[in-house]
Amino acid sequence: MNTVKWVRFSWDLTNFDPVCPPLPSSFAIRRAVLEDRETVSSVVMSSFTLDSEWNPFFREIRPLIESALADVFDEKREPFCLVVTHGVRIIGALGLTAEPDAQNHLLTGPCIALEYHNRGLASALLAQSLLALRDTGAITARGLTKLGSTGAQFIYPKFGAVRVLEDKRAQMGGF
């Protein structure tokens, strides 16, 4: 069985002010609502199953994804999740936690529907998510992803991230 090799990124949010190109007018980023749960779950799950870098590890990470989505869409509180929309269609999502001591604040990582890749949407979603965490009073944000993944190479390093390799299997979930 393959085992995911994880890498952690962290951002200092004390003076965080990302420079991110504006989205085309037909795209928007907004906070998710409870009614978005099923669509967000579908986008996140398909993001991992259709990604050739993640698919071989899907059996290992599926429980982590399901747990993250359950935490994000706990019916006792407003979801802490940002979604990317194209018109009215949700085409991306990133589930978050504002727990100050969390080892991973980016619970699902930035997930974008396959047909919308390479448009800067994941970077914009990451920037907005880090701003949302900063707005909760967080001074540091942490994200976890697979070593060598597209996210680890091109998305997570943005906005002044510090990278640390994990030397053991991550137990806290996140991507």
Side-chain angles (χ1 to χ4, degrees):
M1 176 168 100
N2 293 330
T3 301
V4 176
K5 291 183 176 119
W6 299 96
V7 60
R8 181 182 318 281
F9 290 85
S10 62
W11 296 264
D12 178 354
L13 301 178
T14 54
N15 293 310
F16 186 70
D17 189 22
V19 176
C20 193
L23 294 175
S25 62
S26 60
F27 294 93
I29 296 176
R30 65 166 172 83
R31 184 110 179 221
V33 294
L34 279 174
E35 292 78 20
D36 295 329
R37 180 183 190 141
E38 191 173 314
T39 304
V40 167
S41 293
S42 177
V43 166
V44 169
M45 288 299 205
S46 68
S47 181
F48 285 99
T49 58
L50 297 176
D51 188 324
S52 61
E53 295 172 354
W54 282 102
N55 183 275
F57 304 96
F58 192 68
R59 286 176 56 155
E60 179 182 347
I61 63 170
R62 184 182 184 131
L64 300 174
I65 299 167
E66 290 171 344
S67 176
L69 290 168
D71 288 347
V72 167
F73 285 96
D74 181 342
E75 293 189 14
K76 297 176 189 156
R77 62 182 186 271
E78 181 182 357
F80 195 21
C81 177
L82 297 182
V83 296
V84 180
T85 60
H86 183 217
V88 297
R89 180 180 176 213
I90 293 175
I91 55 100
L94 200 161
L96 301 158
T97 181
E99 294 297 320
D101 296 330
Q103 294 303 304
N104 180 34
H105 294 96
L106 310 177
L107 295 177
T108 65
C111 296
I112 303 292
L114 187 60
E115 64 267 30
Y116 289 93
H117 281 196
N118 301 317
R119 298 183 191 196
L121 299 173
S123 296
L125 183 57
L126 174 62
Q128 291 301 313
S129 296
L130 294 172
L131 288 169
L133 286 165
R134 184 196 66 189
D135 291 347
T136 69
I139 58 172
T140 301
R142 289 178 283 281
L144 195 65
T145 193
K146 186 173 88 52
L147 181 65
S149 67
T150 300
Q153 293 178 57
F154 303 108
I155 300 166
Y156 282 73
K158 295 183 177 184
F159 314 118
V162 174
R163 178 181 175 236
V164 176
L165 294 177
E166 291 292 309
D167 60 354
K168 60 186 183 326
R169 182 173 181 259
Q171 298 295 319
M172 67 293 299
F175 314 99

